[in-house]
Amino acid sequence: MMRIQINLPLVVLAMFLLAGCDQGSPSQTLVLEGKTMGTVWRVSMAGVEAGRKIALRQAIQKQLDADDAELSTWKPDSTLSRFNQNQRREPQPVSANMADIVTEALRIGHKTSGAMNITVGPLVNLWGFGPDRQPARTPSEAQIAAAKALTGLQHLRVLQGVDGQWLQKDLPGLYVDLSTLGEGFATDHLARLLEQQGISNYLVSVGGAVLSRGNNASGQPWRVAIQKPTDRENAVQARVELHGHGISTAGSYRNYYELDGKRISHIIDPATGRPIEHRLVSATVIATTALEADGWDTGLMVLGSEKAKALALKEHLAVYLISKQGDQFVSWMSPQFAAFLIKQ
Ligand code: ADP
Ligand code: MG
């Protein structure tokens, strides 16, 4: 969410790669694009009149900007930042959207044994991936321990009532970071906007999170390509066909910097308080919603190949992993993922 640099999404939309072949002719597909949350959004719609372009683009941008204004830790006056700044232990009223995201985040957080952990904020900031600057030196053990002491899913609760919903923390220094889920949430929210507009054949994405519904202009299910983990942007690793699902990829190879000769990933292992270092380079998840896919992919990245595989099998998740073995990239997929794969 709202990073300084624009992060290119890890999942490339098939319309770029397969343009003009099986996604329907451009005249029947309306494509809108823009920027939000430090990344790009893209909406492809089949069977929508070109005359609706300007109004739709405006409505989409407005909603995404509103989501960002609510969820961003980069904006000091966002709803989330105000919750983080408020040191009180009393429940604080939040929107239904915020309560829903945090509820889902806590659920996936527990399922991943705290690997996907939205209370990781103090560590994210310490390692320079939040609004604070990148550190000049590797943080000390004491600094890591101090930041880690401010984390923990058990310190955050969602309260639902008939007249509203609240977030409550029992640790004043708790700092919630929804950055890893913002794209997934915004993607699902975009889909709801299109539904309200009577549009039911679309592929929407915000950053690396994608959701589809219905068919493309050729009457075929929408297709999405998973990128190869290289610097070449459009090299394709695998293609999947979506039937109203969300898909999201998390990766350790695009967003990092070097410190004291080491690659510092923006994904932090809440258990160690340090950036992940293992061989898993990307995790892609297909789920009912983009939010769910976006939550799981981060958790699986933190867990690393072996634990990620075991959890994918246990939870019956549709997962595609790419790991580095020497100079080679090795991929693995769960049986649920194989069902989406387009064989070539
Ligand atoms: P990707 O670019 O791989 O899709 P995201 O941008 O979705 O990753 O998420 C990375 C961001 O999530 C980090 O910049 C940080 O703010 C936050 N984050 C880092 N580690 C974790 C974690 N273990 N659980 C939840 N959020 C995390
Ligand atoms: Mg994610």
Side-chain angles (χ1 to χ4, degrees):
M1 310 267 297
M2 209 43 226
R3 290 181 208 103
I4 314 296
Q5 93 236 52
I6 296 286
N7 283 315
L8 288 163
L10 298 171
V11 175
V12 181
L13 297 191
M15 92 191 94
F16 268 7
L17 298 153
L18 310 171
C21 54
D22 55 351
Q23 298 279 351
S25 77
S27 60
Q28 296 161 303
T29 308
L30 191 61
V31 181
L32 301 176
E33 294 175 331
K35 287 180 185 164
T36 189
M37 299 179 176
T39 185
V40 289
W41 62 263
R42 190 171 293 129
V43 174
S44 305
M45 297 162 283
V48 175
E49 285 166 38
R52 299 180 65 185
K53 211 168 173 169
I54 293 171
L56 277 172
R57 181 184 289 121
Q58 261 177 8
I60 291 168
Q61 191 66 53
K62 191 173 161 204
Q63 179 171 294
L64 289 168
D65 290 345
D67 287 346
D68 198 26
E70 195 170 4
L71 307 174
S72 177
T73 47
W74 297 83
K75 301 200 155 136
D77 57 347
S78 72
T79 315
L80 184 61
S81 289
R82 277 187 273 119
F83 174 77
N84 285 337
Q85 286 150 19
N86 190 331
Q87 307 281 302
R88 291 165 51 211
R89 290 185 171 88
E90 285 81 51
Q92 298 179 41
V94 292
S95 68
N97 283 342
M98 180 76 92
D100 288 349
I101 302 174
V102 174
T103 301
E104 183 70 345
L106 292 178
R107 184 182 75 85
I108 298 173
H110 289 297
K111 291 244 178 205
T112 58
S113 313
M116 201 293 284
N117 193 325
I118 57 169
T119 71
V120 78
L123 289 163
V124 171
N125 291 340
L126 179 66
W127 288 97
F129 291 104
D132 299 354
R133 277 165 175 275
Q134 281 176 7
R137 309 168 53 198
T138 304
S140 67
E141 292 290 343
Q143 283 175 306
I144 294 170
K148 201 163 164 274
L150 298 175
T151 67
L153 295 176
Q154 72 278 15
H155 299 299
L156 181 64
R157 285 211 298 162
V158 183
L159 306 171
Q160 301 271 6
V162 278
D163 53 347
Q165 49 283 316
W166 298 262
L167 287 190
Q168 184 176 30
K169 52 182 155 190
D170 67 9
L171 194 64
L174 200 76
Y175 184 107
V176 176
D177 178 357
L178 297 175
S179 298
T180 204
L181 298 172
E183 294 173 358
F185 170 78
T187 301
D188 293 337
H189 200 191
L190 255 187
R192 293 200 292 278
L193 174 73
L194 298 183
E195 302 282 340
Q196 283 161 12
Q197 298 278 339
I199 298 165
S200 52
N201 290 295
Y202 55 77
L203 185 70
V204 299
S205 69
V206 179
V210 183
L211 189 85
S212 85
R213 178 154 178 240
N215 292 327
N216 63 28
S218 306
Q220 301 295 320
W222 296 97
R223 293 179 161 193
V224 170
I226 297 162
Q227 288 179 329
K228 274 197 177 14
T230 60
D231 293 331
R232 276 206 307 135
E233 260 165 43
N234 284 345
V236 174
Q237 172 87 26
R239 288 187 176 90
V240 292
E241 207 164 69
L242 299 175
H243 305 267
H245 299 88
I247 180 168
S248 176
T249 300
S252 60
Y253 57 96
R254 281 277 165 82
N255 194 344
Y256 62 86
Y257 64 91
E258 306 241 341
L259 183 67
D260 295 340
K262 263 183 144 176
R263 245 187 199 211
I264 308 291
S265 160
H266 70 148
I267 298 180
I268 312 286
D269 184 347
T272 62
R274 295 167 183 278
I276 53 168
E277 281 186 39
H278 42 62
R279 295 174 293 114
L280 182 58
V281 284
S282 82
T284 299
V285 180
I286 299 177
T288 312
T289 63
L291 175 62
E292 205 181 319
D294 206 359
W296 283 112
D297 69 6
T298 309
L300 297 177
M301 266 318 287
V302 171
L303 291 172
S305 318
E306 295 316 310
K307 286 183 185 164
K309 284 179 195 173
L311 188 61
L313 295 174
K314 180 177 168 229
E315 296 288 340
H316 309 288
L317 304 173
V319 172
Y320 189 94
L321 305 175
I322 304 175
S323 309
K324 194 158 190 198
Q325 285 181 10
D327 288 342
Q328 306 277 331
F329 289 112
V330 180
S331 65
W332 176 90
M333 72 183 91
S334 66
Q336 285 77 12
F337 194 95
F340 292 95
L341 202 68
I342 299 169
K343 313 239 162 31
Q344 36 211 327

